[in-house]
Structures are given as C-alpha cells and as structure tokens.
Amino acid sequence: ARRAWNVVRRDHELVGVTTQGRADLMLDEDGAPLRAEDHPGGRALADGVAAGRTIGIRRTDGTIGWMEARSVPLRLAPDEAPYGVVTSLSDVTERKRHEDELRLAERRVSSILEQASDAIVGVGLDGRITFANRAAGEIFGCDPASLPGEAIDTLVPEGLAEVHAERREAYLGRPVARPMGVGLELTARRRDGMTIPVEISISPVETPSGLEIYATVTDVTERRRIEAELLQAAKMDSIGRLAGGIAHDFNNVLTAIMGYGQIVIGTLPAESPAAGDVREILRAADRAAELTRQLLGFARKSVLDPAIHDLNDLVATMEPFLRRLLGEQVALVTRLGADVGHIRVDRSQMDQVLINLAVNARDAMPDGGTLVIETSALDPADADELLAVAGDRLAVLRVTDTGLGMSEAVLAHAFEPFFTTKPFGEGTGLGLATTYGIVRQSGGAIRVASTPGEGTSFTIYFPGTPAPAPAPAPAPAPALAPATVAPAAGAVGHAGRRRATILVVEDEESVRALATKMLERAGYQVLQAPNGAAAISLVGTRLDEVDLLLSDVVMPGMRGPELAARLHAERPSLPVVFMSGYLGVSEKGGAGLDDATVLSKPFAPEELLETIAAKLAASVA
C-alpha cells in the first residue's frame, strides 16, 4: 500500500486512512476524479460481491500511478452483511501507458486511413471485405459502412471475378507488398455498374483476427484524361511542325508561280488565248495559297496582324454572314454575355474560326437544327489549369449545335489535319485543324464535348486584354517613294538622285530570282545573296550603298532577323522588309527590329513593289 501511495512514511501511518478520505486523490480511467460510489471497495461493501477496476492514484510527488484495484467483502458469517472489504492494488502504470500509446496510435492510423484520398480496402483470407475508408465509398459510389462483409469480387468488373480469385489465391501463397497487375490496365466496378481505371497496391497485414490483405486503390480516370490530352497536344504539335514546314516550302513555290504568272500575263494582250490559260494558272495558285494559309493556321505559323477587339462585336458583326451561310434550315441563336471584354486576335482569322465552326455545325445538321453562339467572362481561378491560358480574366466563346454529334473515336481525331468523316471530295479535313491552330496561336485554348445524337459544343478560351485607347485621327498616307533616292551623306561621284539599292537575301533560288527580276524591272539596283553569311560577305564595306534589306526569315545557318541585327549593328537606320509565310509578328525577335515589315508569301509583284516603296519613303520621312 505504501508503494501504491508513494508516501514517505511508515506503513502503520496509513492505518486508519479511509478510501473516502483520499477520494480526491483517486482518478477514473478517463482522468476525472473518482466518485466514492465508484470505488471498488465501496461497491464491494454495498453489493456484497467482489468488485474491481483500474484507478489512478495521485502520488505525493505529483505523479499518477495506475492501479488494478480489487476489493473483496469481509463477513463474519456467510449469510451476514459484509462489515468491511480488503482491497488489493497491483501497479499497472506501465501497462496503462502502453495501452494509451496503442490507443493513440490506433486513432492516428484510423484518422490517416479515413483522410486518405485513395480508397483503402481490407480483405480477409475468405475474400470478404473487412475494412473500407471514406474514399472507398466515394470511388465505388456507395456508403463505406456497407462494404465490410461483402465479397471483394463485387468490386471487380463482370467477367474478371474468376481471374481475380485465381490471382488472389496465387498471391496468398507468397504475400508481399507490391503493385498489383504490373503492366496491365486495371479496372474496378462501381455500385452503379460503371467501370473505372484504377491503380492498386496490395500489402499483407497481420491483425488480431489473422492475416488480411490491404489494397490501396487509386482512381486514375482524371489522370488518364490529362495524359490523353497531353498526348493529343504533343501529337498535334508534331503534326503542326510538319504541316508548317510543308506549307513554308510550298509558299516559296507558289510565290514563284504567281509572280512569274503575273509577269507573263502583263506581257500578253487581253484577248490572247494564252492570257486566259495564265489566269487559270493564277486562280489555281490562289486556291493552293488558301490551302497553304490553312495549313499554316493549323501549324500556328501564319503571319498575323493582331489587334484588340471586343469579342461581342466580333460575333455581332459576323452574325448576318453566318445566317446566310447556315441557310434557312438552321436557326442561329446568339447570347452575348455582359462585360465579356476584349481579346487580342487577328480579325480575319477570328472570322475564319467562326466560319469553320458554323460550317462544321451546318454539316452535322443535315435535317436542320439550332446553332447557339454564346460569349461570357471567366475568372482564371475557375478555369481548368490545363488550359494554360494566361491573363487576369478569360473571354469565353462557346458554339453549340444540335447535330449528329461525334463518337469518342471521332472526337479523339477532331482537330487532326485531313481527318474528316465526310465522303471523299466533300471536305479537306482542315476546318477544325485550322481553328485549333488559330486559337492556340492567339494564346487561347479550345475544348470540344460531343454526344452522338445530341450535338457538339466547342468552347474557346481567350486571354482577356484591356480595352484599347481611342485611336488618333489617321495620318494621310505617305506618297510612295520612287526607285531612286538621294545620294548618301558624303557620297562622291553622284549627281542628283541615284537608283536605290536593294539587298535581296533568299535561300530559295526561284523566289530570289523572281524578286530580283521584279525589282530590276521597277528600276531598282539589286544585290542578291542565298543566305545571311553570303550577304554579309557581299556588302562588306559597301553597306552604306544599301538602301533596304529584303530578306527571307527562315534560312539555313543564319535567320533573317539575325542577319538584320548584324547589319543594324553597323547601320542602325537600314530599313528591313521580311518575306515569309512562316513567321508570326511576335516572333520577329532581335533588338531594334520592331519597325521591320513582314511581306506574306505568296505575294504579287505589285505587293512587293508597294511594300518596298512605302518602306523607303518612311525611312526618309
């Protein structure tokens, strides 16, 4: 007893002390003061039978010792009421501490299991579920409390239960912690019968009731969707690079065809049969140029003229044209949201996006239907982070039809160039591919959702931009400069004006020869080079004699902007005109090149001459 109370006194000093007298020093198992009537001695005395419980004793040194107290009633005769009790105390402090630690650990484990985002399911050797956490209920679409006691096969897709049972038996022969179904596409079955892709890790766990297998199940539906989108984006980017490269080379060929065609037709009498043939050649070249522009739009490498536009204004302006395009069988409904805001896009390409989506919808509604065009604003915080659209505000354009819809197989290829479900000869398969390229080139993102028989919805997200400042009154257009210029300052041997000298740098021989011929026929003096290194070597110390650089952008070795930067280092005022059907305005790059003009290929002779003359005139203004 003295050990239990931990008092520094002799044993006989405890004699005469009642349990009630020390009740304030006794604690229940939950740490609350022990009530006198709950003391085992009091209960044994009152009930006449032995009583026991674990009690805490506040020792004189302030610590608490835990005792297993057992009280036995004392009687003078078997049939008499007890006159006292004898209480034995066993020190169980260490056992109590271990039990408390175990309960705390169990609570921690239970909390971790319940808060886990993955489903955790325990399965006994008989194949029945012994445990299921909160996430298991969410993933399998049921109350997790309903799972214990059920066969684990109820969560296995139909047709796989037998295989699953065989694999479970094989695993029990050598149970180790490992991923389940390595290299296999695993699926699980929800309560509603729907199957979902999952990843599973299993571990053997020894429990008081024997060996159990605990499985961690991860629903990877969203991850698979993201992976598919990223794979599709990578595939589209690769196809875009290929399409852009092909279109770039094709533009060079078209530039030569259209340029020489214009030269030839200019030398023929209007009534000449050959003139008609050449005009047919030029019309075919125009159609080919349009196809090339579509390819470059998909590849996101076309030359843009972006400006700030109100999205609602863009839709409203195109509405009458779209009604005529759709015909009487298709009803067009526009729902323009309030305060949608402005976007920075190329106006002609934005019109092309609306036309492409409208045509796609019209073809999907052969018996008529409804096309709804809506605009709205969206806070980026509410947008899918995979959109990767920058800005403090997003402008949303949604185009929805009530047409035939697309299957998942068709939907997976919707934006691929040359993919079409239309009969041969009725579609190029470039409409949606071009739309995708234009949207991405404008910094936006596009999503499509479709259900067979119910229709299709395209949702486009554009980064919002502040409204433009009021435009100043337009200045009068400068007069075009002639093919002659004033002599350079300090030049010797020139009287009056001299012929302007143009440095033409182009790796495609046919385009270089065509540009040279056009410029020389217009009265310019031309220096020509096939690449940047040859151009630098050609001009040498004669750079002051060059009045304008006309250069391709994409060339082997040294790109056009790099060549211009090298020449600007010695002659900062040198005017520059780029020729390209491959370059976006924002990609010109190079310090000091903001004033460069981009001439889109293929171009007509008059376009080239007007661009050169205007640039020369601006340089001396």
Side-chain angles (χ1 to χ4, degrees):
R2 192 164 72 87
R3 179 184 174 191
W5 290 102
N6 193 28
V7 294
V8 184
R9 62 185 74 181
R10 290 185 174 87
D11 295 344
H12 70 271
E13 292 180 286
L14 293 174
V15 176
V17 177
T18 66
T19 56
Q20 289 82 357
R22 305 306 302 267
D24 61 314
L25 301 181
M26 297 183 186
L27 306 175
D28 205 342
E29 281 193 89
D30 60 3
L34 182 67
R35 297 185 305 172
E37 59 268 27
D38 291 334
H39 190 282
R43 295 190 65 85
L45 192 61
D47 298 339
V49 295
R53 69 183 301 141
T54 301
I55 63 175
I57 296 178
R58 196 182 305 277
R59 294 167 173 162
T60 55
D61 62 359
T63 62
I64 296 176
W66 293 96
M67 305 296 160
E68 192 69 42
R70 179 170 178 78
S71 298
V72 178
L74 299 176
R75 291 182 174 87
L76 294 176
D79 57 347
E80 291 185 7
Y83 66 87
V85 295
V86 174
T87 300
S88 63
L89 300 174
S90 300
D91 191 340
V92 294
T93 303
E94 283 300 304
R95 190 189 76 187
K96 180 73 164 55
R97 182 176 64 82
H98 289 310
E99 289 175 349
D100 289 345
E101 290 176 351
L102 180 59
R103 278 193 293 269
L104 178 60
E106 288 176 346
R107 284 198 296 270
R108 286 175 177 169
V109 171
S110 177
S111 177
I112 291 172
L113 294 178
E114 282 303 309
Q115 296 303 317
S117 59
D118 293 330
I120 299 177
V121 179
V123 183
L125 298 183
D126 60 355
R128 294 198 171 274
I129 298 171
T130 60
F131 172 84
N133 68 343
R134 174 189 53 80
E138 295 176 356
I139 289 178
F140 295 110
C142 62
D143 181 356
S146 68
L147 289 174
E150 287 196 10
I152 186 63
D153 292 342
T154 60
L155 305 181
V156 178
E158 294 181 4
L160 297 179
E162 184 176 346
V163 175
H164 181 266
E166 293 174 357
R167 289 178 178 167
R168 188 173 66 249
E169 290 297 326
Y171 175 79
L172 291 176
R174 186 171 176 269
V176 293
R178 64 172 177 81
M180 181 179 175
V182 176
L184 301 177
E185 292 287 332
L186 299 180
T187 55
R189 181 173 57 177
R190 288 171 49 88
R191 269 284 196 266
D192 57 10
M194 184 180 71
T195 59
I196 55 174
V198 294
E199 289 181 353
I200 303 177
S201 294
I202 51 179
S203 300
V205 177
E206 286 290 347
T207 71
S209 57
L211 182 68
E212 293 183 2
I213 308 302
Y214 272 71
T216 301
V217 184
T218 304
D219 183 354
V220 294
T221 303
E222 184 65 12
R223 188 196 306 172
R224 295 287 167 82
R225 182 188 71 79
I226 293 171
E227 288 173 351
E229 287 195 4
L230 293 176
L231 180 63
Q232 178 71 1
K235 181 170 66 174
M236 297 291 286
D237 184 66
S238 298
I239 297 175
R241 291 176 184 271
L242 175 63
I246 293 173
H248 171 251
D249 292 339
F250 198 34
N251 262 337
N252 283 331
V253 175
L254 287 175
T255 299
I257 292 174
M258 297 175 70
Y260 282 112
Q262 292 281 0
I263 291 174
V264 170
I265 202 168
T267 64
L268 296 174
E271 66 277 5
S272 169
D277 293 339
V278 174
R279 278 191 286 271
E280 285 301 318
I281 292 174
L282 292 176
R283 274 194 285 270
D286 279 335
R287 290 195 295 272
E290 176 59 29
L291 182 62
T292 306
R293 279 191 289 272
Q294 289 184 331
L295 277 174
L296 285 169
F298 164 73
R300 308 197 299 275
K301 297 181 184 295
S302 56
V303 177
L304 298 180
D305 182 20
I308 298 175
H309 300 278
D310 184 297
L311 178 58
N312 283 349
D313 288 347
L314 291 176
V315 175
T317 302
M318 284 294 293
E319 184 175 354
F321 177 81
L322 295 177
R323 291 190 185 279
R324 292 192 295 271
L325 181 68
L326 293 169
E328 295 182 355
Q329 283 189 300
V330 177
L332 175 62
V333 178
T334 58
R335 299 170 183 161
L336 306 182
D339 194 26
V340 173
H342 293 72
I343 58 176
R344 185 176 181 82
V345 293
D346 180 287
R347 176 63 181 265
S348 63
Q349 289 206 330
M350 190 61 196
D351 291 346
Q352 187 67 50
V353 166
L354 289 168
I355 291 172
N356 289 351
L357 294 179
V359 169
N360 189 73
R362 181 196 64 190
D363 295 344
M365 298 183 286
D367 299 325
T370 302
L371 178 65
V372 180
I373 300 179
E374 303 171 88
T375 62
S376 61
L378 180 66
D379 189 311
D382 298 326
D384 188 334
E385 60 181 11
L386 286 178
L387 291 174
V389 180
D392 298 330
R393 180 185 176 90
L394 303 183
V396 182
L397 173 67
R398 182 172 288 108
V399 180
T400 305
D401 66 60
T402 58
L404 301 173
M406 292 182 276
S407 66
E408 289 188 10
V410 173
L411 203 60
H413 302 281
F415 295 118
E416 293 181 7
F418 306 114
F419 176 81
T420 179
T421 57
K422 298 175 184 177
F424 180 76
E426 294 187 16
T428 63
L430 281 174
L432 292 181
T434 301
T435 299
Y436 176 91
I438 292 172
V439 170
R440 294 299 295 159
Q441 188 173 16
S442 301
I446 183 169
R447 290 282 175 83
V448 57
S450 187
T451 302
E454 296 183 13
T456 302
S457 180
F458 291 90
T459 305
I460 304 175
Y461 305 85
F462 290 105
T465 188
L480 296 185
T484 60
V485 294
V492 179
H494 293 285
R497 299 182 68 82
R498 63 176 178 84
R499 294 171 64 195
T501 300
I502 310 298
L503 174 59
V504 177
V505 187
E506 166 66 66
D507 61 303
E508 182 67 33
E509 183 178 358
S510 61
V511 177
R512 186 172 70 250
L514 173 65
T516 299
K517 184 167 187 151
M518 291 177 181
L519 293 169
E520 287 181 341
R521 286 168 63 107
Y524 292 100
Q525 183 172 314
V526 178
L527 301 175
Q528 55 175 306
N531 54 59
I536 292 175
S537 176
L538 175 64
V539 297
T541 58
R542 302 163 51 199
L543 185 56
D544 285 344
E545 299 177 16
V546 177
D547 297 294
L548 183 140
L549 169 64
L550 175 64
S551 173
D552 190 16
V553 174
V554 180
M555 297 183 293
M558 185 185 300
R559 296 175 72 251
E562 183 182 352
L563 169 63
R566 294 274 294 271
L567 297 181
H568 270 182
E570 297 184 32
R571 176 99 176 274
S573 61
L574 179 66
V576 177
V577 173
F578 286 131
M579 299 178 291
S580 183
Y582 191 83
L583 181 71
V585 171
S586 62
E587 299 175 73
K588 286 188 296 187
L593 297 185
D594 293 338
D595 293 332
T597 299
V598 180
L599 182 62
S600 178
K601 295 179 183 177
F603 49 78
E606 59 271 16
E607 288 183 87
L608 173 64
L609 298 179
E610 288 174 0
T611 301
I612 295 295
K615 195 69 176 179
L616 286 172
S619 68
V620 298

